[in-house]
Every structure is written in structure tokens, then in C-alpha cells.
Amino acid sequence: MPKLDTAIAASSEAFKTNAQHMEQALATLRELERRTREASAKSAPSFAKRGQLMPRERLALLIDPGSPFLELSTLAGYMQDGQKPEKSIPGGGIIAGLAYVANTLCMVVASDSGIEAGALQAMGIEKMQRAQDIALENRLPFINLGESAGANLLKYKVEHFVLGGGNFYRLAKLSAAGLPVVNVLHGSSTAGGAYIPGLSDVVIMVRERARAFLAGPPLLKAATGEIATDEELGGAEMHCAISGLGDYLAEDDRHAIAIAREVMEKMDWNGSDRHAIPRLNPDAPAPAYSADELLGIMPADIKTPVDMREVIARIVDASDFLEFKAGYGSATLCGYAKLMGVSIGIITNLGPIDTAGATKATHFIQSCCQTRTPIVYLQNTTGYMVGKDAEQGGIIKHGSKMIQAVSNATVPQITVLCGASFGAGNYGMCGRAFGPRFVFAWPNSKTAVMGAEQAAGTMATVMQASAARKGMEVPEFMLDNMKKQIVDTFESQTSAFYTSGLLLDDGVIDPRDTRQVLAMALAASLQAERSVQPMQFGVARP
């Protein structure tokens, strides 16, 4: 396959400006992530006094030494907690990601109990359910390191209660699908949270720390008048010796993690009795160009055109890319490459998606499905082409064919928002609503139904036309005020940080990490080929 050349001059002023803009965005991302870790770390003295490990220390012991951890949705809940941007704590009170445990790729979730004692947060519930969906869709074992004070009743909302039931629904589905659910209970798991160990296949409880009950002592006394201690109601020893909820009694956090690792090892998830899973080749040829140069490729002005081949050349093996239908629908770039030795199809944008581009993409997606080739979408589009020629050329029907193909593709699809994600281009390029296995965003990317200026101009035209039909004229200051309001509204919601806070992606990533992130996501997606033993029910506890 032909090797991509580069026109990037890393010493140019434009490159340096772009890189500086990207580095500033990355600095904002890292500062937000650091804020969450520092908020959790403030509880370290309390954890040490109780003889407990911090949540991230537990994770570090669980994961295979030297193996990667792809943390997901680090900005969940950002600016959704009623706080100003400088005070908002992202993360949703949950740490979630892909990790290898006993040489098995798993979905791992841990309560960030250093923040509000692990109390459930609205976006934390959604983040947990997103992690469960990923595990179910990609046939991954699910490991939960739990410790939660339950719901904060001062912030009670009925929709959180109702939709929170989806946590338990998904655990039941995971078990019934033949996917092991391992729960390590480091602390409390009360009220509805008690069903999490109840719906797990393996439960490990820490002596004198783990507790699981439907009603704790205060609620029990208020409801029935009965008086009981935490240990009598739901202590680890009671559950491991009397109720049967607990399977393993650990002496402390370290012992509990060691048991979890041994359980995974003995389970032999990668044993010879299951179908072999395609594995990435870590020795595959690296890209010919430095990943560091990904910082300076995307312009600070998102409307500036970009040759996305420059991005591909810094992600795929040996920068080797065989373009598909190069002379047809050239604004839509499709082609084949390898990522860590695994064949993939790539679809990206050099401009708006026109009728030829939509037709080409539809053909390419169907070809990938025929050959069972996973598809990676690198989004950088202002949307589908508009105008008289586009409409008469059938942009609606051809764009709809592309959306049909994306919606019904039978291969794993992974999406990275590299730049603009505007209009129906977000849909046709496999945005969140279209079920990609994973969606990641670069910190400079922007998502909106259209550009802020276009939206303001559209509404100004509508307002003027409406007034003209009534024989009136709209004062210029009213138009200006309305435009400013619309621009401010759009711009406040377009950034990757805002949309990631709404879990519209699975995490904002450093562009330089794109190859490694895609490799982990691809490895998880390939797990869907695994042979499991589904049942008509989840594993019931004794």
C-alpha cells in the first residue's frame, strides 16, 4: 500500500500556534482530572486511620503490573453539579475503565469513595450504566470495587431513583449473558446498592468494613422500631457465614484485591475451551511520523480545512494507508490500514459530506461488514452538503443510505471526534446515538447542530421575515441582542469538556494517545467474538 507523505512543517508558526492551542486545551483537561484526584486525596488521612486503601490504590493493585488502564468518562458530571466551572468536581464519583486483570481484559469500576464517601451522583449512575453497557456489548468480565454511602437524600430526584434501577437490570443481563460479575465490597453498600453484590456472581467482602443491607440502623429504627448494629444487619462476617451473600471474607483491602485477582486467574477466561480472540500485535510497525505532531495538525479555528491523512499517518501501522475510491467523493476519505496488526477501515472528512461522499461511505461500510473489518471514524465535518445542487442530487436519500449503513453495520465501530462534529454529520459519522462501541474526543473538538454564527443568522432571518409579514421591522439592537444570546448559548455547549460532562463520549483524550486508546478500544471490541455460555437467568445467590 502507498505510504502517506506529509506536508506538515513542525517548525512553522502556524504549527506552533496550533500546538499551543491544543496544549492549552489539554492543560484544561488535565487540570480538571487533577481536581478530581485531589478532591479524593483529601480523604487520605481518614482512609489511613481506618486501615483502608484509597480507591486508586485499590485499582493499581487489581490491574496487572505494567499493563495499561484506559480510564473512561473522566469528565462525567462536570458542570452538572450546580457548581461554577472553577469549583465543579468531574468524575461522577466513579472511576471506570478498561484494564487487564490476570491477563484478562475487563471492565473495571471503582467507587471514588474519597469524594462524599462515594455517595451516588446523577451522572455517576449514568457513568456506571455506560460501563455496564460496554461490558455487555463487548463480552467483558465486569469487576466492581464498591464502597458507597448510598444516595444523597438531600439531592433526591425521582428520576434518579427510577433510572438508577438500570444498574441492577444490567448486572442481571451481564450474568445471564455468561459474563462474570465480580464485586469486591470495601465498605458500605446500602439500600438499593445492596442489590449490587446480590446480583454479582462472586462477592468478596472486607471484614469489619464491608456492609450490605436494604435498611441501615437509622432507617430500620425509623421504619420498624427495631434496633440493630451495622454488623448484625449486614456485616461481612454475617453475610459470609449466615446469609450467604458473601463468598470470600478478606482481612483488609489488599487481601480482597488479591482474592479478586486469584478468582480471575482460576476462572481462566482466556482458556482453551473458548474461541480464540484476535489479539493486537504490540510489535507491529509504528507510524512513520511522531504522535507528538498530532498536537499541531488541527487548526485553532475549527472552520479551517484539514487533510485528515496527516492524522491517519500518525496513528496506523507504518503510516500505510490504502485509500478507497480516491477519485470519487473526495471530501469523504475512506480506506484500509492496520492498527497494531489488526485490519481496520477508516472513514474521515476532508470537507462536508456530499452525495458522492455519502454513496462512497455507504459502499465502504458494507464492504467492511462483508469482510468483518472494524471501522474507525475520525470526525471532522461541518455536516452534509446543502444547497440547490445538493438537494437536486439527492443528498437526503444518499445521506439516509449512509445513516442506514452506519446504524446496521455488523462490525465494531469506534468514533474519535478530532475537530468539528456539526449537524447530521455527527449522525452519519457514527455519533453517540448510533451505537459505536466507543466514542472519544480530542480536547479541541466541538459538537453542535450547527455553528453558533449560522444559528444566530438563521434565527435573525426568521425573525425579520416574521416581522415583515406583519408589516413591521425588527430594531437592529433586538437582532444584535438575539444573535449574541444564541451565540453564547451555542458556544457554551459546544466544547468537548461540556459534552463529555454529559457523557456524550467515553472520555476526552490526548491526541498523542489516540493510537494506544484505539488499540485498547479495538481489543475490547474484538471480545464480542468470544464464545460464552448464555443462560435464561442470572446466577442466583443461595
Side-chain angles (χ1 to χ4, degrees):
M1 291 188 286
K3 176 181 175 181
L4 290 167
D5 292 325
T6 182
I8 292 296
S11 60
S12 69
E13 288 303 315
F15 183 95
K16 292 176 182 177
T17 299
N18 293 340
Q20 183 179 19
H21 179 263
M22 184 70 78
E23 287 169 348
Q24 289 173 346
L26 280 171
T28 301
L29 169 63
R30 297 309 178 214
E31 174 56 32
L32 290 172
E33 293 175 335
R34 188 181 306 113
R35 184 187 301 171
T36 302
R37 296 187 182 217
E38 289 176 350
S40 182
K42 290 178 181 178
S43 300
S46 298
F47 275 73
K49 187 176 180 179
R50 298 192 299 262
Q52 289 186 292
L53 297 174
M54 294 294 291
R56 289 188 181 273
E57 292 177 324
R58 296 167 184 168
L59 272 175
L61 284 176
L62 179 69
I63 297 169
D64 291 350
S67 68
F69 175 55
L70 175 55
E71 188 170 353
L72 303 174
S73 306
T74 57
L75 298 185
Y78 176 60
M79 291 183 64
Q80 308 304 311
D81 53 4
Q83 296 290 335
K84 293 181 178 180
E86 61 272 15
K87 296 291 185 181
S88 182
I89 305 295
I94 296 284
I95 306 167
L98 298 173
Y100 286 94
V101 180
N103 199 34
T104 299
L105 185 59
C106 304
M107 172 57 70
V108 178
V109 174
S111 305
D112 198 346
S113 46
I115 299 175
E116 297 183 0
L120 296 176
Q121 301 180 27
M123 296 309 296
I125 293 172
E126 292 195 35
K127 181 173 176 177
M128 169 68 83
Q129 293 179 5
R130 175 60 184 156
Q132 292 170 326
D133 287 341
I134 290 173
L136 186 60
E137 189 173 28
N138 297 294
R139 299 189 179 184
L140 301 172
F142 188 86
I143 302 177
N144 181 54
L145 308 182
E147 181 177 33
S148 173
N152 186 338
L153 298 182
L154 293 175
K155 298 180 180 179
Y156 168 77
K157 289 189 176 182
V158 68
E159 64 267 29
H160 299 164
F161 154 66
V162 173
L163 297 177
N167 288 2
F168 315 135
Y169 169 83
R170 287 166 173 81
L171 287 176
K173 288 291 188 181
L174 282 163
S175 183
L179 302 170
V181 178
V182 177
N183 185 62
V184 182
L185 198 55
H186 296 274
S188 295
S189 188
T190 63
Y195 287 108
I196 294 177
L199 290 163
S200 299
D201 299 330
V202 178
V203 177
I204 302 161
M205 306 183 80
V206 178
R207 189 193 302 273
E208 297 182 355
R209 299 305 320 167
R211 295 179 177 86
F213 32 62
L214 296 181
L219 178 56
L220 180 67
K221 183 178 180 181
T224 70
E226 183 180 356
I227 297 176
T229 67
D230 284 353
E231 284 296 323
E232 289 172 331
L233 274 178
E237 291 184 80
M238 186 279 290
H239 279 308
C240 287
I242 299 173
S243 78
L245 176 67
D247 298 314
Y248 301 94
L249 181 63
E251 297 303 318
D252 55 26
D253 285 347
R254 289 181 182 275
H255 187 207
I257 296 298
I259 292 173
R261 286 185 54 80
E262 187 172 3
V263 165
M264 291 303 302
E265 182 181 350
K266 295 293 190 293
M267 193 179 294
D268 192 21
W269 186 246
N270 294 321
S272 58
D273 58 329
R274 296 184 176 92
H275 292 324
I277 305 302
R279 292 186 62 85
L280 302 178
N281 177 13
D283 298 321
Y289 309 105
S290 171
D292 290 342
E293 294 178 346
L294 288 170
L295 292 179
I297 292 176
M298 303 306 294
D301 181 356
I302 206 149
K303 296 187 292 294
T304 303
V306 178
D307 187 345
M308 294 298 288
R309 296 179 185 87
E310 299 286 3
V311 174
I312 296 171
R314 289 157 178 82
I315 294 174
V316 302
D317 294 357
S319 301
D320 197 344
F321 178 72
L322 180 61
E323 190 171 342
F324 176 75
K325 286 186 180 289
Y328 183 79
S330 57
T332 300
L333 181 64
C334 305
Y336 299 98
K338 286 191 175 183
L339 184 76
M340 297 289 190
V342 175
S343 295
I344 60 170
I346 296 177
I347 303 177
T348 187
N349 318 105
L350 305 180
I353 305 170
D354 57 15
T355 54
T359 302
K360 177 166 92 171
T362 301
H363 182 180
F364 186 73
I365 293 167
Q366 292 174 342
S367 295
C368 287
C369 291
Q370 183 184 51
T371 58
R372 303 184 70 180
T373 303
I375 304 171
V376 173
Y377 296 83
L378 303 176
Q379 282 201 20
N380 184 38
T381 181
T382 54
Y384 284 85
M385 183 66 76
V386 297
K388 184 175 68 174
D389 291 343
E391 297 291 357
Q392 292 179 355
I395 187 62
I396 294 174
K397 69 177 182 181
H398 291 300
S400 297
K401 289 176 185 176
M402 181 176 173
I403 289 173
Q404 283 273 9
V406 171
S407 302
N408 293 290
T410 55
V411 296
Q413 300 182 103
I414 302 170
T415 301
V416 181
L417 279 65
C418 299
S421 180
F422 288 166
N426 175 276
Y427 302 164
M429 290 293 293
C430 203
R432 168 63 96 201
F434 288 78
R437 299 294 179 88
F438 297 89
V439 181
F440 298 101
W442 286 5
N444 62 297
S445 63
K446 297 183 182 297
T447 301
V449 68
M450 64 180 71
E453 296 295 337
Q454 289 89 335
T458 298
M459 288 307 300
T461 301
V462 170
M463 179 180 286
Q464 289 172 318
S466 176
R469 286 193 295 269
K470 300 174 184 176
M472 302 169 61
E473 186 174 334
V474 182
E476 195 65 30
F477 77 91
M478 289 184 63
L479 286 175
D480 291 340
N481 288 340
M482 184 202 66
K483 287 180 180 179
K484 183 179 184 305
Q485 180 181 355
I486 292 175
V487 169
D488 290 345
T489 297
F490 269 65
E491 290 185 346
S492 69
Q493 299 181 53
T494 59
S495 79
F497 303 115
Y498 187 92
T499 53
S500 192
L502 290 169
L503 287 182
L504 298 180
D505 57 53
D506 294 312
V508 179
I509 65 171
D510 187 328
R512 293 168 293 190
D513 295 335
T514 303
R515 176 174 167 86
Q516 286 69 34
V517 168
L518 284 174
M520 284 286 282
L522 185 59
S525 300
L526 293 172
Q527 296 290 310
E529 300 297 324
R530 179 180 296 282
S531 174
V532 295
Q533 182 57 52
M535 301 180 291
Q536 294 179 335
F537 47 83
V539 175
R541 304 216 53 79

